[in-house]
Amino acid sequence: MKNKRSREPERVFTGLAAAAGVGTGRVYLYESASDMRVQEVRIPTSKVRFEQHRILEAAARASDRVEGLQNEARKLSGPAGEEIGYLLDAYQQMLSGSRLIRGVQKRIATEHINAEAAVMKEVGLMAEAFASMEDTYLAARIDDVREVGRRLVEALTGETDEPLDRMPQNSVVVARQFSPADTAQLDPNIVSGLVTTVGGVESHTAIVARSLGLPAVIVEPEFLNIARNGDEIIIDGSVGAVILRPTAATRARYRRIRSSLAKDQRALLKIKSVPAVTRDGFAIKLLANIELPTEADAAVDAGAEGIGLFRSEFMFMNRDTLPSEQEQFEAISRVIKDMNGRTVTIRTLDVGADKLGHALGLKPGPNPALGLRAIRFSLSKRRLFLTQLSAILRAAALGPVRILLPMVCTVEEVREVRKVLIKVASRLKRSGVKIPDQLPPLGVMIEIPGAALAADALAAESDFFAIGTNDLTQYTLAIDRADEQVAYLYNPIHPAVLRLIQFSAEAAASAGIPVSVCGEVAGDDRMTPLLLGFGISELSMAPAHILKVKKRILELNLSAISGRVRRVTSESDPARLKSLVAEFAES
Ligand code: PEP
Ligand code: MG
């Protein structure tokens, strides 16, 4: 059978590049929770108690298995471990006398069906209820409910072997969807990649795959009808390609790609301590984006000159209570201490749309991406905001800090925050709390098109700019950045986005304030020459991208390309623009 299939022609699928890198191996088909089928069996009244007891026992067994995973997750370092830890806690809650288990028991009694069928029906009902919610965070929890359902059915049917435990070496896991908890079980020494047909490049699963260094691609659902267990496969997470049954020529090409990637990585480590200065002497600041205080170590390891974006909202997520001022102070202080004298830019709470914390009591409006979020939310929840500012100001006594405001759209917002900041500072001083003599610089994110177009006015009120190209692209082009259905239109190299970046950079330069780019394009070395050509001299990115961008800077002669920037921004044809940007990258 295998021989017959191996004579079938090579198939190349192009999808979304969710995590970079190249992996080769054999297809390992994994059935995800929502694909599971169970048989419904009618039971007599005399067996109802027995079935109800079975589900309780199954829940206890599933809970033991999740506990095992929790122990494994604790061994993972950094954001992957924390992310998975929170999820597994949620699974445990659902497995212990929750609405799900009670619902299953009730269904067994009223519908007289077996426990497996009752679980699947209850999960289906809950999934429907979640899907209809306007709250995108809750809607995304459907997958967690399904995952718990799958674990319950496994425990009921006795099929308790975790298929992921017994994967052969060099497996490429192929699944319709794959939960972050499953990802926790993947051993990067055994697994070479992950292919799914559902999800976005910003999903938890993609984040965990990136943390584990596993290439991941999201492809068309048709792929599942074509891939078979054991098929030879190559996954290229850097360009979003998946190749089934590669020919000898493709195999050889990828062998060359892999060895050149490994060589590049070794070469990059040599420039870790080299200053990021262009060939003609322009010094560029390379900074790190972090979500959790524990990531500061990775920033230092990658040679970051500071933190250009600390997404403080992650301290508020996956918890039922708000972090106290002291807790926030300690988390920020940890980053400041780890950065050892390098500047830490702390962004105030950027919640709303896809970023929600239960404890914040956010009520998503009709369009959460355009609603009460980010700085608008902070200004409407004064107590919460004062607490965060107090924590930041206290921590600022320990090392250089900047305060960054998300989703600013008017100068009034900046003025209002400055007033609040001065008030908080004087209150702290009156109470004898140590804070720096000079207030930290107050900057704004340029990530709303209106803010970019009003950048000159905002520059007059701000101490620095950080251009958030992720949201700037989303809002300029009206493309939801986490929706795979419109991902083909998500393009920061759109003339409108580039012009807004350039306009903001020029406004900052005229006002004499520093400007950085901290969206994903900052970590894309093909964009580095153009961004520098716009006059941007600070780039903030995930620590893993810093050395690659630095290499590009060391090779660049900035004076030679500056005169050509106008050609790029006056080009309105997207295809010609793309090739111009590519030309720039080759400069
Ligand atoms: C951005 O929008 O570009 C940005 C850096 O912020 P976030 O990705 O957290 O929205
Ligand atoms: Mg943003």
Side-chain angles (χ1 to χ4, degrees), residues 461-482:
E461 299 289 335
S462 323
D463 300 320
F464 66 98
F465 278 172
I467 305 176
T469 48
N470 305 340
D471 277 316
L472 190 59
T473 305
Q474 154 166 277
Y475 290 117
T476 305
L477 306 181
I479 304 298
D480 188 328
R481 60 193 256 197

Side-chain angles (χ1 to χ4, degrees), residues 90-260:
Y91 291 0
Q92 282 294 26
Q93 274 171 24
M94 280 191 255
L95 286 168
S96 52
S98 65
R99 143 101 223 273
L100 173 64
I101 305 292
R102 287 197 306 275
V104 171
Q105 288 201 300
K106 198 163 158 208
R107 213 173 262 278
I108 293 172
T110 53
E111 297 182 25
H112 283 218
I113 52 173
N114 56 330
E116 290 87 340
V119 168
M120 293 314 276
K121 280 193 164 180
E122 198 58 27
V123 164
L125 187 88
M126 283 176 80
E128 252 172 54
F130 275 48
S132 64
M133 286 184 195
E134 281 179 4
D135 182 329
T136 49
Y137 179 82
L138 285 177
R141 302 280 70 78
I142 295 174
D143 293 343
D144 300 341
V145 178
R146 286 197 175 121
E147 174 62 20
V148 171
R150 179 178 75 83
R151 289 176 177 278
L152 278 172
V153 172
E154 266 180 11
L156 279 165
T157 53
E159 285 176 19
T160 48
D161 281 337
E162 287 288 346
L164 295 175
D165 284 351
R166 297 187 280 119
M167 258 185 296
Q169 190 79 26
N170 293 332
S171 289
V172 171
V173 179
V174 174
R176 198 177 79 80
Q177 57 188 16
F178 203 69
S179 77
D182 286 333
T183 319
Q185 297 176 72
L186 298 181
D187 178 349
N189 296 315
I190 291 178
V191 180
S192 330
L194 180 60
V195 181
T196 60
T197 62
V198 173
V201 293
E202 301 294 337
S203 69
H204 283 120
T205 300
I207 291 168
V208 177
R210 287 198 285 266
S211 309
L212 295 174
L214 278 180
V217 176
I218 301 159
V219 290
E220 287 292 312
E222 191 210 350
F223 183 75
L224 290 178
N225 300 329
I226 292 163
R228 295 284 174 270
N229 260 327
D231 276 352
E232 191 177 347
I233 183 172
I234 296 176
I235 161 172
D236 185 343
S238 309
V239 297
V242 179
I243 301 138
L244 262 190
R245 302 180 292 275
T247 59
T250 308
R251 255 187 251 136
R253 182 158 61 87
Y254 270 98
R255 260 199 304 276
R256 287 194 297 276
I257 293 177
R258 288 187 74 171
S259 80
S260 107

Side-chain angles (χ1 to χ4, degrees), residues 68-80:
L69 287 177
Q70 284 174 309
N71 293 334
E72 288 299 309
R74 276 181 211 114
K75 292 183 207 149
L76 286 173
S77 61

Side-chain angles (χ1 to χ4, degrees), residues 239-488:
V239 297
V242 179
I243 301 138
L244 262 190
R245 302 180 292 275
T247 59
T250 308
R251 255 187 251 136
R253 182 158 61 87
Y254 270 98
R255 260 199 304 276
R256 287 194 297 276
I257 293 177
R258 288 187 74 171
S259 80
S260 107
L261 282 176
K263 203 167 131 210
D264 290 352
Q265 196 50 39
R266 284 194 299 275
L268 282 180
L269 286 174
K270 293 193 187 132
I271 56 168
K272 192 182 136 181
S273 322
V274 177
V277 179
T278 63
R279 275 170 48 205
D280 48 343
F282 289 92
I284 309 300
K285 250 195 196 152
L286 297 182
L287 308 164
N289 290 353
I290 61 168
E291 282 76 42
L292 295 165
T294 44
E295 289 172 84
D297 284 345
V300 173
D301 284 349
E305 285 186 60
I307 301 294
L309 173 63
F310 177 8
R311 292 179 161 106
S312 72
E313 57 275 11
F314 281 81
M315 286 193 271
F316 291 71
M317 290 183 189
N318 296 308
R319 52 185 295 157
D320 297 323
T321 55
L322 292 172
S324 65
E325 180 183 321
Q326 183 61 19
E327 206 179 322
Q328 293 184 54
F329 164 75
E330 283 166 15
I332 300 166
S333 302
R334 175 172 175 183
V335 177
I336 294 172
K337 282 183 194 145
D338 285 349
M339 293 313 291
N340 196 18
R342 302 172 186 93
T343 301
V344 176
T345 308
I346 303 156
R347 182 171 71 185
T348 62
L349 204 52
D350 183 12
V351 284
D354 58 331
K355 289 191 275 192
L356 296 178
H358 316 282
L360 290 164
L362 258 169
K363 286 190 215 77
N367 189 338
L370 306 180
L372 187 66
R373 55 172 306 191
I375 194 60
R376 304 164 190 177
F377 178 78
S378 291
L379 284 171
S380 76
K381 300 270 180 201
R382 287 302 167 102
R383 281 252 305 276
L384 194 88
F385 194 37
L386 296 185
T387 306
Q388 182 170 42
L389 291 178
S390 284
I392 297 174
L393 283 177
R394 283 172 56 203
L398 305 172
V401 156
R402 304 195 299 179
I403 300 175
L404 178 58
L405 308 178
M407 312 272 323
V408 166
C409 76
T410 72
V411 287
E412 282 80 12
E413 287 166 328
V414 190
R415 289 187 194 131
E416 186 58 25
V417 172
R418 210 180 278 281
K419 266 197 238 157
V420 176
L421 190 64
I422 291 169
K423 234 196 233 164
V424 175
S426 34
R427 201 195 63 204
L428 287 170
K429 274 187 192 155
R430 272 200 312 276
S431 326
V433 177
K434 193 167 178 320
I435 62 166
D437 292 336
Q438 276 212 324
L439 286 183
L442 184 65
V444 303
M445 294 278 299
I446 301 289
E447 52 186 345
I448 296 178
L453 290 168
D456 43 357
L458 283 168
E461 299 289 335
S462 323
D463 300 320
F464 66 98
F465 278 172
I467 305 176
T469 48
N470 305 340
D471 277 316
L472 190 59
T473 305
Q474 154 166 277
Y475 290 117
T476 305
L477 306 181
I479 304 298
D480 188 328
R481 60 193 256 197
D483 184 347
E484 80 266 18
Q485 299 175 87
V486 284
Y488 68 101

Side-chain angles (χ1 to χ4, degrees), residues 43-52 108 112:
I43 53 162
T45 312
S46 59
K47 279 199 85 180
V48 164
R49 290 282 289 276
F50 174 75
E51 284 298 302
Q52 287 178 326
I108 293 172
H112 283 218

